[in-house]
Amino acid sequence: MTDFAPLRNDLLLRTAKGERVERAPVWVMRQAGRYLPEYHKAKGSHDFFECCRSPDIASTLTLQPIERYEGLVDAAIIFSDILVIPQALGMTVEMVEHKGPHFPSPLKTPSDGQYAELLEKDVNVEKELDYVYKAITLTRQKLEGRVPLFGFCGAPWTLFCYMVEGGGSKLFVQVKTWIYKHPNESKRMLEKLAILCVEHLALQVKAGAQIVQVFDSWAAELSPSSFKDFSLPYLRYISKHLPERLKELKQEQVPMVVFAKGAWYALDALCESGYQVVGLDWLQDAADAVKIAKGRVVLQGNADPGLLYGSKESITTVVEDMVAGFGGGKQGWIANLGHGVTPFVSPDDLKFYFEEIRRLTLHDYNQNT
């Protein structure tokens, strides 16, 4: 077991446990990424997945926002990708410039040989994704206790979408065909993916991750009834079995975050899904979400990432509204964006966003307006 430096800033972990805190912790999804000039320098000529597979490069990229925004960001998230799980299953995934992830050979139908092959494959997750765990351990060492480190995975539904569609999609024709024409076969693959997610998250914790997040990026493509059939059961599988797996590995329990983008209709169910923190996108009103959550979970989010293209006055207004909506920032809220940082954002504007969250939550905003 690796010895790590004591954690000096545990604000986010205390918040995730429901404790009352001095201010709202903040981090943002995709905080390590292409909007940063230093990202391109460190990435060099390597393609995206080469960076993921290099512990040294991945740890360097993870630390860039922590170093740039020193003292303003309360967590790091390991530089990796949700699609490492399909890769561990043996599927080829390429990151195509200006297009995104591409599967040259997606799942076609349950009768194509690949479906049975993937379903029956005994995956040695520790071996296949060893580079992720090495990157996490190296990053924890480099962090020297400055902030906690997130591990993560994609939710089974979102992974299944990519595996079937062959990449991103606007219509999701293929995956809708699967769930409405082959629902049982779809569920068998979703369960397979959930099992792999549990193992991947557990091994990230073993390597040094102190909190984990499950990204259901394509949850919005499901109707409320379909979400109950094809996403929620597998999110619950992860939250139920990850603590059991951590116990088997003799690891301490860590807070679990679920982020089902676009599933605003499912907030009540997500509050009962076994996660300590529920992430919100920007389509959900903060005050309404607080009323629905009723203190059952900590909420995370949820500014529109597009506000970072706006003026400082606009950023301040959005943060003021968000702080007020989440109750002031002293309990039950981790500040974030409603999705990841988008391209062409100025790093200085993101810095101002971090500064405003700190300024407006260090005192109780509700008592000063």
Side-chain angles (χ1 to χ4, degrees):
M1 183 176 175
T2 307
D3 287 328
F4 298 117
L7 186 59
R8 286 178 270 151
N9 175 359
D10 65 349
L11 179 66
L12 186 138
L13 296 184
R14 285 187 284 123
T15 303
K17 293 172 183 175
E19 296 179 18
R20 188 164 178 80
V21 292
E22 55 274 23
R23 63 172 175 83
V26 61
W27 70 285
V28 294
M29 293 173 276
R30 292 189 194 143
Q31 65 186 24
R34 54 188 172 173
Y35 74 100
L36 291 173
E38 55 266 38
Y39 167 85
H40 299 280
K41 184 176 180 181
K43 180 176 179 288
S45 60
H46 301 281
D47 70 28
F48 178 83
F49 284 117
E50 284 176 341
C51 292
C52 292
R53 286 190 288 267
S54 165
D56 188 54
I57 296 175
S59 65
T60 296
L61 297 176
T62 301
L63 287 169
Q64 285 178 343
I66 307 305
E67 291 166 349
R68 174 181 276 266
Y69 303 117
E70 185 176 1
L72 291 173
V73 180
D74 297 300
I77 182 165
I78 193 65
F79 185 86
S80 185
D81 195 78
I82 64 172
L83 298 179
V84 297
I85 286 181
Q87 288 177 329
L89 269 168
M91 297 188 80
T92 299
V93 188
E94 304 164 346
M95 194 63 73
V96 180
E97 194 74 26
H98 307 302
K99 181 183 176 184
H102 172 65
F103 287 67
S105 301
L107 282 173
K108 297 292 187 184
T109 67
S111 58
D112 87 7
Q114 188 178 198
Y115 173 81
E117 183 182 327
L118 294 180
L119 210 57
E120 294 164 11
K121 186 168 185 178
D122 183 15
V123 182
N124 184 335
V125 177
E126 189 165 21
K127 177 185 175 186
E128 295 295 335
L129 300 181
D130 177 61
Y131 58 88
V132 178
Y133 315 129
K134 286 180 177 175
I136 286 173
T137 300
L138 182 58
T139 302
R140 274 292 304 274
Q141 291 167 336
K142 289 182 178 180
L143 277 169
E144 298 178 322
R146 280 174 282 179
V147 293
L149 178 63
F150 268 87
F152 70 91
C153 73
W157 163 251
T158 290
L159 297 177
F160 186 56
C161 286
Y162 278 111
M163 290 162 63
V164 169
E165 295 289 342
S169 177
K170 290 183 178 179
L171 298 178
F172 291 84
V173 172
Q174 304 306 324
V175 78
K176 296 294 179 76
T177 301
W178 270 79
I179 64 172
Y180 291 121
K181 192 175 280 187
H182 312 293
N184 292 331
E185 291 87 348
S186 297
K187 289 175 181 178
R188 281 196 283 274
M189 185 57 72
L190 288 163
E191 184 175 356
K192 173 77 172 185
L193 292 168
I195 292 167
L196 296 176
C197 286
V198 168
E199 187 67 7
H200 184 39
L201 291 173
L203 291 171
Q204 289 181 71
V205 173
K206 183 181 178 184
Q210 293 147 292
I211 182 170
V212 295
Q213 178 158 319
V214 179
F215 287 85
D216 209 352
S217 306
W218 296 122
E221 296 306 316
L222 291 166
S223 68
S225 61
S226 294
F227 184 83
K228 290 176 184 176
D229 284 340
F230 297 102
S231 176
L232 190 58
Y234 307 100
L235 294 174
R236 284 178 170 155
Y237 181 98
I238 293 169
S239 69
K240 179 179 186 293
H241 289 87
L242 177 57
E244 296 171 359
R245 183 63 178 131
L246 289 175
K247 192 174 180 181
E248 289 174 359
L249 293 172
K250 295 181 171 55
Q251 299 297 310
E252 290 186 11
Q253 299 300 319
V254 300
M256 298 180 291
V257 186
V258 61
F259 176 58
K261 183 176 178 290
W264 55 267
Y265 52 79
L267 178 55
D268 185 60
L270 289 167
C271 289
E272 296 290 341
S273 64
Y275 293 83
Q276 291 73 47
V277 182
V278 175
L280 307 174
D281 63 33
W282 69 96
L283 302 180
Q284 196 138 28
D285 179 77
D288 289 346
V290 169
K291 290 175 186 175
I292 293 168
K294 296 176 183 175
R296 290 174 289 173
V297 295
V298 171
L299 297 173
Q300 178 177 273
N302 74 327
D304 177 357
L307 100 152
L308 298 174
Y309 299 127
S311 65
K312 288 188 174 180
E313 291 78 14
S314 295
I315 292 172
T316 297
T317 298
V318 170
V319 174
E320 286 175 342
D321 289 346
M322 188 168 61
V323 171
F326 283 112
K330 294 291 191 287
Q331 190 170 25
W333 176 45
I334 297 169
N336 206 306
L337 296 172
H339 199 216
V341 179
T342 46
F344 314 117
V345 160
S346 163
D348 290 339
D349 290 332
L350 180 57
K351 180 182 181 182
F352 184 71
Y353 177 72
F354 290 143
E355 289 171 338
E356 287 297 87
I357 288 168
R358 175 178 286 254
R359 179 177 71 85
L360 290 164
T361 64
L362 265 172
H363 70 283
D364 191 336
Y365 181 70
N366 283 339
Q367 294 178 9
N368 291 272
T369 55

